[in-house]
Amino acid sequence: MATVGFLHTAHAHVRTFRDLLAERDDTVADRHLVDTGLLAAARARGPEAVRAALGDRLRRLVAEGADVVVCTCSTVGATAEAVGAELGLRVVRVDRPMAEAAVLAGRRVAVVSSLDEAAATLVPLLRECAEDTGRRVDFVEVRCTGTWAAFESGDLLTYTTGVADTVRRALRPLDPPVDVVVLAQASMVDAAPLLRDLSVPVLTSPRLAVEAAVELVLPVR
């Protein structure tokens, strides 16, 4: 049976990605490994400080049967992707499929983050994807750092409504408006439905990452 592994830095992501995978293809099995210390260490000392630990966690998931591993943390995603390449493992960085879609959606991109580290990794990725497709992009950064404490405490409703409210306030006065909104972190997935009133696409990473992973493990039909 094809299996997708997920490396998380928050327990809240397990259900999100398990449900998305089952919705996409219930014949694909899932494996989950949660290590909250990875994010804490990366925020304190930088993503490179957890390179060895990432390698260990990725190998563990593969040993448990994962054909591909999705790293669901934006902060350590680039490092996990690089470590996977070094080890010969298939690793999907959670925000890469979203970034690829975002640069195709328009030139003016709103990048929404509740962690400065997430924005610091996503913006270079968006630039990379734009260069790969021969496009130019401009960024409007929307910081929701005041909401992160609610996510850490498990108050997901306060977190997601806080993110949505911040986005709406930030975008309302913009002229010209943005072409697409990118929610930088998987933790923000539930804020997207709260932003349906916006006149532009709102992209989140989990569903697109799951789609990319499934395409890697299932034969073309």
Side-chain angles (χ1 to χ4, degrees):
M1 177 182 286
T3 302
V4 176
F6 295 92
L7 176 58
H8 308 291
T9 56
H11 291 278
H13 296 325
V14 174
R15 181 176 179 179
T16 296
F17 284 88
R18 176 169 287 153
D19 289 350
L20 285 171
L21 182 61
E23 180 183 327
R24 172 59 175 81
D25 195 312
D26 60 8
T27 69
V28 179
D30 57 312
R31 296 287 183 274
H32 299 265
L33 193 163
V34 181
D35 186 341
T36 59
L38 288 173
L39 179 57
R43 293 189 69 193
R45 305 193 303 275
E48 285 298 308
V50 297
R51 176 177 283 269
L54 284 169
D56 174 76
R57 309 310 185 262
L58 294 173
R59 285 191 294 264
R60 189 186 309 178
L61 282 164
V62 171
E64 292 176 357
D67 300 297
V68 62
V69 177
V70 178
C71 177
T72 67
C73 176
S74 301
T75 298
V76 302
T79 306
E81 186 179 58
V83 170
E86 292 170 4
L87 297 175
L89 307 177
R90 292 195 291 183
V91 175
V92 174
R93 172 181 174 176
V94 69
D95 48 5
R96 181 173 288 280
M98 177 179 66
E100 292 170 346
V103 300
L104 297 177
R107 176 172 175 174
R108 194 161 158 84
V109 181
V111 180
V112 183
S113 62
S114 57
L115 286 176
D116 291 338
E117 295 87 352
T121 57
L122 180 58
V123 168
L125 177 61
L126 286 162
R127 287 202 174 96
E128 174 191 324
C129 293
E131 290 174 4
D132 289 344
T133 57
R135 295 169 181 267
R136 293 182 59 189
V137 288
D138 298 320
F139 302 111
V140 175
E141 293 199 35
V142 180
R143 300 297 177 95
C144 309
T145 51
T147 64
W148 182 248
F151 179 80
E152 287 190 306
S153 71
D155 186 353
L156 302 185
L157 178 60
T158 296
Y159 176 64
T160 55
T161 56
V163 169
D165 289 346
T166 302
V167 171
R168 199 173 284 104
R169 286 196 303 270
L171 298 188
R172 187 179 296 121
L174 292 184
D175 186 19
V178 299
D179 298 307
V180 59
V181 175
V182 175
L183 303 183
Q185 296 146 242
S187 61
M188 296 178 164
V189 63
D190 289 334
L194 304 179
L195 294 169
R196 289 196 184 107
D197 57 303
L198 298 183
S199 59
V200 297
V202 178
L203 302 183
T204 61
S205 58
R207 185 178 299 277
L208 294 172
V210 167
E211 289 280 350
V214 170
E215 288 176 6
L216 287 174
V217 300
L218 289 183
V220 177
R221 296 174 178 175

